[in-house]
Amino acid sequence: MPSGIARICNDARAAKTRFDVRHRVEHCTRAKVASSKPLRVVVVNDHVVPDGGADMVALRSAQGLAGAGIDVTLFAGGRLPPAPPAGVRLVCTGQVDAIANPGRLSAALQGVWNVAAARMLRQVLSGFDPGNTVVHLHSWTKSLSGSVVRATLDAGFPVVLTLHDYFSACPNGALFDFQRNRSCLRTPLSWDCVSTHCDSRSRAFKSYRVVRHLAQQTLGGLPGRIGHFIVVSRFSQALLQPFLPAQAHSHLVRNPIDLTHQPASDVAANQLFVMVARMLAPKGQEIFLEACERAQVEAVCIGDGPQLQAWRARFPRAVFPGAQSRAEVSDAMRQARALVMPSLWYETQGLVVDEAAALGVPTIVATTCAGSESVVDGETGLHVPGGDVAALATALRRLADNPAEAARMGRAAHQRFWADPPSLDNHARRLLEVYDLVLRSHRAGATARLPAPGALR
């Protein structure tokens, strides 16, 4: 066996990963056929200190791959943290996010086309071989810009992009009209889109985002020049597919969740209905709170944000504990009859639904968001139309009046989750399968020459 492949296998065994023998052998066999050099991965992400779900997934993915014996470099905006991720080579630009840049002109230029970040990434990639290196892009809109995508493509490296949001299609990243608090049906970058103020900030910021979006499409080659995308739900993939290249491959890879197996909660003994989300109108807290009042059930609304004080004053019977640690959120969900996710915007996955299922707690979820994909209606929770207060109130009353039914759903959710948990090991194994396809596609010269990749299995 070539020395590089032997190193991958030996490092994986030394790290005591839980990959089963069959998957390890399959991966090593494919790698042996494809190349005599060990696989290298360059993870590209706006932040190295987490500032959201995409950052957490990028960092966890890098750590999971390193734990499997893969050579991983993380290229990110910001400065080096005091405690870099274990086993991961870290390169940071030293820049703040564009929106935090005190100079308005330099901030706009950085956000639209970050020349310094592109130059640094080219230097990093100059030490790697495109034949055995995959560049995995997670986020770029806050600090790095589309320039890093162009730098990667011009250097001849294969790229895979995880679609954590809708920035590949939509200037504001959400396919949502924040001014009207509803999903946006306008064609991105059409005159109707460009002329409409739909941004969560100002009209001027919407104009800036339109310019940035044009730059990433025309100069950055994103998404048009990328052949492989990772989607985190079938729901988000269906929305994004019309905006992706016709010959591109989409691969379903669930985001990892770091949880320990525990017995299912005794939801029949609980009375609370819990919502966990940042306090923003599109998340649906107002709908949740109004529905709880109509159904006369106890509401706990966890999270912080600009709407918190207004909702506290308007709904005095509800409990608003503010921002909570992950452990505190888990404790609150264990005391719930059900989790409620009434989000009005599409989301892309909704990890909190999986976290509730892992605890044996059913979820009432709006069909307007990707979290509905993780709930089997009537079996592991309930579906309700997005924005329908009356329908949500009826669902709340149903589970409040039927503790046995809620308990049955909770047990089913618990069993379904732990039958195939999205652990870090499973996540890393699936990424290695995708990287193998990406590298074979790159060597073949065209994605069309590959056999069907089994996208969205």
Side-chain angles (χ1 to χ4, degrees):
M1 180 181 289
S3 59
I5 303 303
R7 188 178 68 80
I8 290 178
C9 295
N10 291 336
D11 287 352
R13 283 191 290 269
K16 296 182 180 179
T17 63
R18 294 187 294 275
F19 296 130
D20 59 63
V21 174
R22 177 173 62 83
H23 286 302
R24 188 188 297 121
V25 171
E26 285 176 356
H27 171 64
C28 292
T29 301
R30 289 195 302 268
K32 181 177 180 180
V33 172
S35 172
S36 61
K37 297 181 179 180
L39 171 67
R40 287 179 163 179
V41 178
V42 178
V43 175
V44 178
N45 190 64
D46 273 323
H47 304 124
V48 68
V49 177
D51 187 39
D55 297 330
M56 288 296 298
V57 173
L59 296 175
R60 293 288 290 152
S61 293
Q63 292 172 329
L65 292 167
I70 305 300
D71 186 311
V72 180
T73 298
L74 174 60
F75 180 86
R79 295 177 173 83
L80 289 169
V88 177
R89 186 183 303 109
L90 192 58
V91 179
C92 293
T93 66
Q95 300 168 310
V96 297
D97 284 359
I99 198 171
N101 190 327
R104 298 185 68 175
L105 178 59
S106 60
L109 292 174
Q110 175 189 342
V112 172
W113 199 254
N114 191 332
V115 175
R119 181 168 56 247
M120 286 187 66
L121 183 56
R122 279 194 295 268
Q123 292 174 348
V124 171
L125 294 177
S126 66
F128 296 123
D129 178 1
N132 72 311
T133 304
V134 173
V135 177
H136 189 158
L137 178 64
H138 284 268
S139 69
W140 69 94
T141 59
K142 295 181 180 179
S143 176
L144 301 176
S145 85
S147 67
V148 296
V149 184
R150 176 65 176 269
T152 302
L153 294 169
D154 285 353
F157 284 82
V159 179
V160 59
L161 166 61
T162 293
L163 298 168
H164 292 288
D165 47 45
Y166 298 99
F167 275 116
S168 296
C170 172
N172 73 23
L175 294 173
F176 193 84
D177 188 330
F178 289 91
Q179 296 301 312
R180 296 159 185 82
N181 204 33
R182 66 190 185 197
S183 299
C184 180
L185 301 178
R186 301 177 184 89
T187 301
L189 294 187
S190 65
W191 174 248
D192 193 19
C193 165
V194 172
S195 62
T196 300
H197 175 27
C198 62
D199 201 83
S200 58
R201 294 184 175 91
S202 65
R203 183 179 289 274
F205 199 79
K206 164 68 184 291
S207 299
Y208 156 74
R209 281 180 156 174
V210 167
V211 173
R212 182 182 67 187
H213 198 77
L214 284 167
Q216 79 178 28
Q217 282 195 342
T218 57
L219 300 176
L222 192 159
R225 290 180 61 190
I226 296 179
H228 291 267
F229 297 88
I230 288 175
V231 295
V232 297
S233 66
R234 293 178 179 85
F235 184 101
S236 62
Q237 193 271 344
L239 290 169
L240 284 163
Q241 192 64 54
F243 306 101
L244 304 181
Q247 299 300 318
H249 293 279
S250 295
H251 313 273
L252 178 64
V253 182
R254 298 165 70 191
N255 286 333
I257 302 178
D258 185 17
L259 295 171
T260 303
H261 186 281
Q262 300 178 44
S265 302
D266 183 12
V267 298
N270 300 332
Q271 303 294 327
L272 306 177
F273 288 86
V274 174
M275 181 176 173
V276 183
R278 183 162 168 73
M279 296 289 180
L280 299 170
K283 291 290 188 179
Q285 280 94 346
E286 189 171 14
I287 295 166
F288 167 66
L289 294 165
E290 287 184 359
C292 287
E293 284 203 345
R294 288 196 193 184
Q296 296 185 327
V297 298
E298 298 179 57
V300 177
C301 210
I302 298 174
D304 199 357
Q307 298 288 341
L308 175 58
Q309 296 307 320
W311 285 331
R312 270 182 173 160
R314 184 177 168 188
F315 300 100
R317 292 181 64 249
V319 177
F320 295 87
Q324 300 283 284
S325 68
R326 189 171 181 182
E328 288 170 330
V329 170
S330 292
D331 287 343
M333 286 198 291
R334 277 201 165 276
Q335 299 173 48
R337 175 65 58 90
L339 175 77
V340 183
M341 187 177 185
S343 185
L344 295 172
W345 61 16
Y346 295 127
E347 310 281 352
T348 52
Q349 183 174 359
L351 286 176
V352 69
V353 177
D354 281 340
E355 291 171 354
L359 298 172
V361 177
T363 298
I364 303 173
V365 60
T367 54
T368 43
C369 69
S372 59
E373 186 175 303
S374 299
V375 174
V376 181
D377 188 29
E379 182 179 330
T380 65
L382 296 173
H383 287 179
V384 294
D388 192 330
V389 175
L392 179 54
T394 299
L396 292 167
R397 195 66 254 168
R398 173 178 168 179
L399 294 190
D401 292 340
N402 297 279
E405 182 179 29
R408 173 183 62 78
M409 291 180 179
R411 289 192 298 269
H414 187 264
Q415 183 177 3
R416 186 170 185 262
F417 177 88
W418 289 108
D420 183 24
S423 65
L424 185 58
D425 288 347
N426 287 340
H427 176 79
R429 173 181 59 79
R430 180 69 179 117
L431 286 180
L432 293 177
E433 293 174 353
V434 172
Y435 296 157
D436 178 67
L437 283 167
V438 171
L439 283 172
R440 286 197 287 143
S441 171
H442 184 69
R443 296 186 189 104
T447 58
R449 294 173 57 183
L450 273 178
L456 297 184
R457 295 183 301 177

